[in-house]
Amino acid sequence: MRKGSWLVFLLLFLLALGSGRLPPQPFGSGKTSAVWSKTPVDNNERDYKDLVNTYDGFSLSYPGDWRPEIIPGVVTILVQPGNAKISIFAQPLGKISAEEYVLYSNRSLQEGWGGIKLRKQQQLNIKGNPAWRFEWTRRQLGAGDLNYYCEYDLVIDKTVYTFMLKSNQAGFTAVVRDLNRIISTFKPQPPRGAPALPEPQMVRRDITIAGRHHLLQIPADKTLWGILNPHKLGQLEYFTKLLPLEKELDFKFQFLITYAAFDTRFNFAELKKIYDDNRVLMIALQPWWYGKREDTSLIDLIDGKYDSILREWARQFKALEDPVFVRFGNEMNGDWSTWSAWYYGKDADIFKMAWEHVYRIFKAEGAENVLFVFNPHDRSFPNFKWNNYLLYYPGDQTVDWIGLTGYNNGTSHEADVWRGFNEIYAPLYREYMYYFGDKPFMITEFSSNEEGGDKAAWIRECFRSLAQYPNIKIAVWFNQVDGKWLYNLDSSPRSREAFKEGLKDPRYRFQAVTPR
């Protein structure tokens, strides 16, 4: 839910450097700078292949037993199957310095978040260019887990090229030699940027999801409206404030959402009331403790520490015997979420491992009625390539729906900017249709602030425009005040009336949840 800017965190971090609470130098370990030199390799023993990434602007050679993959404008990945993985990011610096980028990106190494143990750190000179080098480890999560890391951050002009290697203990020394050889062949060139995405394919999708007691149906020409209304987590008590609002709007929200953390226990009777009233629920399962967020670790989750809680949730949701949507680890590409890669040495694979662990538990408990929703934020915070939402995607096999989240924050804070509905969702829809077009979409939560523009006009634009995005089958309004952000639909009489008028459109007035 939090929509803060990574710049705030960066400023605090730099202030901490000056206060002495963190090492006053980039690495603070007492190690001296060094001049990098590659480890000699007998080229007669191995075949090397050339790779040219014109999108990010570089070329290199890699051992023939490694396999390349390029996500244009995001990452180049080299994999030695079962043994090692190298992720290469070309990060333009813009207004920040290389040191600021490297320090902020690698803060988890200095802080020891996620059980990280920093082994080595030094500043280098690679072929006349400044660079940083890190080595670290973390707890191994199963026999095949790659938990030994080596990273180089090479600065050329106004770009930092990050080479992040991970392997296992047994193969680490050998693949570090491969990494050094790859870097020795690295040559930057002018980038041309990511290719333009094609126009979204036209999708007209009927949704039919059958439960034991209810049927959820969304026709191709309809959009189901949902709401997150103030309520008591776990106990829910949703109807106390929802029913008066629905009476005022003359509209029934058949899709409701709530949040849960590891310290949330659900009142099953309250869950069942929602379905008895011909509604469907989505739960955002956030892998932390609301009472002590900093003590939660995805490493512990993957290692089974929270399995009893996950199994309890799975059994409760299964017992409903009707469709239940689960949005695990939403907004993972925001550094306000402790399941972000920022807390784990920039390794987004750890989030994917956590997702798969949760998914397996739900399946093992027989919760086949649960649908999993993958839901990044529309903007990554920080907007660095190692934090791109695509790196968190766990794969089509474990994802049922794709969630879109983009807020108009207005101008309540200095870093905020007013954004129109289509300004947010037109480019987002186009990109998501390119990568995830085989999945149905929902706007899992969104709203507009009252400050900084005409919220009533924003709401009218939203209702008028949703038909342009036919693969968005559900849209959920975040109907709460969040600090200075006035996201509630009745933040002004004009906004309330615009919302009420929009709900009169036949596209949104239909019976989606029916008893069987």
Side-chain angles (χ1 to χ4, degrees), residues 1 81 112 144 167-168 175 199 209 221 325 333 355 393 418 429 489:
M1 290 184 289
S167 184
N168 51 38
V175 294
E199 287 296 322
I209 305 173
D221 62 342
F325 291 79
N333 58 332
W355 177 287
Y393 187 60
W418 184 273
Y429 185 82
L489 64 87

Side-chain angles (χ1 to χ4, degrees), residues 184-205:
S184 75
T185 69
F186 177 83
K187 296 179 181 178
Q189 55 187 238
R192 74 181 191 192
L197 298 179
E199 287 296 322
Q201 57 182 310
M202 177 55 67
V203 171
R204 295 183 61 80
R205 179 178 270 129

